[in-house]
Amino acid sequence: SSRQKREPGMKKIASLFAALTLGIGIQCAAFAQGIAPDALVKSVTDDVITIVRQDKAIQSGDTRKAVDLVEAKVLPYFDFAHMTRLAVGKDWRQANAEQKTVLTHEFKNLLVRTYSNALTQYRNQHIDFKPLKAKPEDTDVVVRTEVRQPGAKPVQIDYNLEKQGDDWKVYDVMVAGVSLVTNYRDSFGQEVRNGGIDGLIKSLKDKNKQLDTTVSAKK
């Protein structure tokens, strides 16, 4: 199926950008208003990578500790409602208010667990930050980076951020030109066709239960 073909590939490349993606949001509010998004991403990412490299528990595969880290410091700085709308696509219009709330919650949990698992695989990739091509008044920007690691081709990773008030929030990540968020759209669309919005919700809940079981097994 399309889901079976796509999702494993995203899992493989997740380890390349997990620390970067997580780093975008941590302590965003601590930066002064007006700082360039690329400078913000670089500064915070450097801090996060330093922490991960020193945390032996996360390096040894302690996914629960990684999940706790993400939930405590990252969630406020991602626009999960925007991310979920993008992932569900045109079928979002079929969902009522309660279903949209549940979809956003379950998709958030799926991404958090995916990032957390990938974070335990992070090692010594080198990150190059590209010059930001944006105007000072822009409120929707792309921060471009390239991840290099020994024995592999560089991977381009682009971050879509939107300014909301004084803060920048991530709403998508592009890995080698593939959107992390819309990569789910085909499989989500199939779930809706098979069982409606409630069928998609059930599928997400089942995936999160499986991931929670994996996390518990690694304690």
Side-chain angles (χ1 to χ4, degrees), residues 72-143:
K73 296 188 176 182
V74 176
L75 297 195
Y77 306 107
F78 277 72
D79 189 345
F80 286 106
H82 192 170
M83 297 172 82
T84 308
R85 290 197 303 272
L86 288 175
V88 177
K90 60 182 177 60
D91 293 320
W92 183 255
R93 296 192 298 268
Q94 297 184 32
N96 59 37
E98 181 179 356
Q99 289 172 324
K100 288 177 179 178
T101 298
V102 177
L103 280 172
T104 300
H105 175 74
E106 294 299 333
F107 190 49
K108 175 198 71 177
N109 286 342
L110 177 63
L111 293 178
V112 167
R113 281 150 181 76
T114 299
Y115 292 161
S116 300
N117 183 62
L119 189 60
T120 65
Q121 303 171 38
Y122 183 83
R123 292 300 179 264
N124 293 307
Q125 292 87 352
H126 179 79
I127 304 150
D128 290 331
F129 293 84
K130 306 302 181 181
L132 180 66
K133 296 181 179 180
K135 299 176 182 178
E137 65 270 20
D138 286 346
T139 58
D140 194 315
V141 302
V142 179
V143 174

Side-chain angles (χ1 to χ4, degrees), residues 10-119:
M10 295 307 294
K11 290 178 182 178
K12 290 180 181 178
I13 57 181
S15 61
L16 295 175
F17 67 82
L20 284 174
T21 306
L22 299 174
I24 290 173
I26 298 175
Q27 298 176 349
C28 280
F31 288 87
Q33 181 179 357
I35 186 172
D38 56 339
L40 184 152
V41 172
K42 185 179 187 306
S43 297
V44 181
T45 299
D46 287 344
D47 289 342
V48 172
I49 290 175
T50 298
I51 293 171
V52 172
R53 285 175 176 168
Q54 295 175 350
D55 195 313
K56 301 302 182 183
I58 292 178
Q59 290 179 20
S60 65
D62 189 338
T63 309
R64 171 52 61 190
K65 188 171 184 180
V67 168
D68 291 342
L69 170 66
V70 175
E71 291 181 342
K73 296 188 176 182
V74 176
L75 297 195
Y77 306 107
F78 277 72
D79 189 345
F80 286 106
H82 192 170
M83 297 172 82
T84 308
R85 290 197 303 272
L86 288 175
V88 177
K90 60 182 177 60
D91 293 320
W92 183 255
R93 296 192 298 268
Q94 297 184 32
N96 59 37
E98 181 179 356
Q99 289 172 324
K100 288 177 179 178
T101 298
V102 177
L103 280 172
T104 300
H105 175 74
E106 294 299 333
F107 190 49
K108 175 198 71 177
N109 286 342
L110 177 63
L111 293 178
V112 167
R113 281 150 181 76
T114 299
Y115 292 161
S116 300
N117 183 62
L119 189 60

Side-chain angles (χ1 to χ4, degrees), residues 149-168:
Q149 58 183 349
K153 293 183 178 180
V155 178
Q156 182 174 331
I157 302 176
D158 301 335
Y159 302 91
N160 295 90
L161 297 93
E162 181 179 48
K163 195 170 188 180
Q164 300 180 7
D166 293 336
D167 299 324
W168 289 94

Side-chain angles (χ1 to χ4, degrees), residues 99 188-202:
Q99 289 172 324
F188 283 7
Q190 186 62 51
E191 296 289 355
V192 173
R193 287 190 291 274
N194 291 339
I197 294 296
D198 285 336
L200 173 58
I201 290 173
K202 181 180 184 303

